[in-house]
Every structure is written in structure tokens, then in C-alpha cells.
Amino acid sequence: DGGITQSPKYLFRKEGQNVTLSCEQNLNHDAMYWYRQDPGQGLRLIYYSQIVNDFQKGDIAEGYSVSREKKESFPLTVTSAQKNPTAFYLCASSPYTGPNEQYFGPGTRLTVT
Amino acid sequence: AQSVAQPEDQVNVAEGNPLTVKCTYSVSGNPYLFWYVQYPNRGLQFLLKYITGDNLVKGSYGFEAEFNKSQTSFHLKKPSALVSDSALYFCAVRDYSGAGSYQLTFGKGTKLSVIP
């Protein structure tokens, strides 16, 4: 988990509210990623960003939004349009070039009721 | 698109016995393969990767993985399992997503339980 922080660790929201999950890294990595993890489904990519002020949709972007205004920060907003937002959310980063592994944060468990 | 499969949802092994967690892949071109471990309510930790070269890759915590091109497999192994190895293990392959962008595609994970 070193080098990437996610806050808060647990988050509770009422249905219909937008919520923003924080992700910060001090590894000087260019690329950052957001994944959603559900039991038995592995990790699914929501959004990723290779450079500041640029990001691309992943496999399950609907109902989510991101911004990348600073190299070290990549916040994820779970909007009210996301039909099933309760999940474990993981942020990761990696150097942009080369076959490099991704480094993961500790995750945020979001519960929407 | 690249993909990986982990055919076993769960693997049980006795402490001190060798362990194997299986992964097969499907790629076009040269595969870049990774193994990660996840402990409950934690992020993923990188264990090892195969890029090129020796088919036996050594990683963290005594784990190793064997790359087999003919069988398109990248199985994770450890000679002697510890109870503390009990966790969720993910295999991943680097995937090209266009415009110079790469991402990792993950398997669904294998839960390893080491029985004392």
C-alpha cells in the first residue's frame, strides 16, 4: 500500500447522493487507475489516466466520473446514476512507459443504503 | 483483447505442503504477466511478473511462477505453504487499450486457504 493513500477507508451514503473517493500518490507515477471489486468478479476497470488533464473510460464507467488536475491526485465520484454502487474501490498507479506493475492503495469500502 | 483465466475459485493446502495457483492466458503477441496477492479488506500487493527471459520467475515471500508458452500458463507456486499465505490471489495480463495506453486485465481471483 505504500505511496498511495485512499480515504476514507469506509464510507456510508444514502441512495441518491453523489460521493467522492480520494486517491493520492507520492510515487511520481504518470498513470493512475480506478477499479471496482465485487465478490467473485475480480477487479473491473472504471477509469484510467495516463497524464494530467486526460483520462479514459474503462470497462464499467457508467455512473462514475473522474478528474486529473494534478499528477498526484485522481478522485473518483460515484454519482446517483450508478445503479449498484456498494462495492470495494481500489486506486492504483504505475509509471507510464514499460511493462510495469501497478501499485495499489488500501481501498475504500462504499456502502449505499 | 487479452484475457486471463483462473480455473479454481478456491485452493486448499496443508501447511508445509507445496502450493500451486493456476492461471492461463490468451494474448496476441508477447505476454506480460503478473501475480498479485490481496489480504482481507486490503489493497493488492505485487508478487512477481514475467516480461521475458527465464521461464521461472522468483518473487516476494518465497513465491515463484512458471511461464509455459506452449500451454499458455503462468502458475504461481511455493515449495512450502504457510498459514499466513492464506489470501486471495490474482493473475493479470497487460493489455493494450489503444492510443499508447496500457492497462491490466485481471482474473477473477483464487482464494488460497492453508490449513494448519
Side-chain angles (χ1 to χ4, degrees), chain A residues 37 45 48 101-102 109, chain B residues 36 38 41 43 49 97 103:
Chain A
Q37 184 178 17
L45 183 65
Y48 62 102
E101 60 271 23
Q102 293 179 11
R109 185 166 297 281
Chain B
Y36 287 83
Q38 183 182 35
N41 294 312
K49 66 182 177 184
S97 47
Q103 62 186 29

Side-chain angles (χ1 to χ4, degrees), chain B residues 12-52:
Chain B
N12 297 321
V13 63
E15 186 177 22
N17 282 3
L19 70 86
T20 298
V21 182
K22 296 179 180 178
C23 173
T24 58
Y25 65 87
S26 174
V27 303
S28 54
N30 294 322
Y32 296 149
L33 298 158
F34 304 79
W35 274 105
Y36 287 83
V37 60
Q38 183 182 35
Y39 297 98
N41 294 312
R42 302 290 298 276
L44 275 65
Q45 296 178 34
F46 169 73
L47 284 177
L48 51 81
K49 66 182 177 184
Y50 173 82
I51 305 301
T52 187

Side-chain angles (χ1 to χ4, degrees), chain A residues 1 9 33 35 37 40 42-43 45 48 50 88 90 96 98-102 104-106 109, chain B residues 32 34 36 38 41-44 46 49 51 88 90 94 97 100-104 106-108:
Chain A
D1 299 349
K9 188 168 180 64
Y33 311 81
Y35 294 91
Q37 184 178 17
L43 275 70
L45 183 65
Y48 62 102
Q50 303 284 14
F88 190 51
L90 289 160
Y96 175 56
N100 295 293
E101 60 271 23
Q102 293 179 11
F104 283 80
R109 185 166 297 281
Chain B
Y32 296 149
F34 304 79
Y36 287 83
Q38 183 182 35
N41 294 312
R42 302 290 298 276
L44 275 65
F46 169 73
K49 66 182 177 184
I51 305 301
L88 189 57
F90 289 97
R94 191 176 78 145
S97 47
S101 298
Y102 294 89
Q103 62 186 29
L104 291 182
F106 288 84
K108 294 189 183 302

Side-chain angles (χ1 to χ4, degrees), chain A residues 60-105:
Chain A
I60 56 164
E62 184 175 350
Y64 299 98
S65 66
V66 294
S67 63
R68 187 85 186 278
E69 297 177 0
K70 298 185 297 182
K71 186 175 183 178
E72 58 270 24
S73 179
F74 191 41
L76 173 74
T77 297
V78 184
T79 74
S80 57
Q82 168 51 234
K83 297 200 184 315
N84 189 17
T86 295
F88 190 51
Y89 290 88
L90 289 160
C91 179
S93 71
S94 71
Y96 175 56
T97 58
N100 295 293
E101 60 271 23
Q102 293 179 11
Y103 296 80
F104 283 80

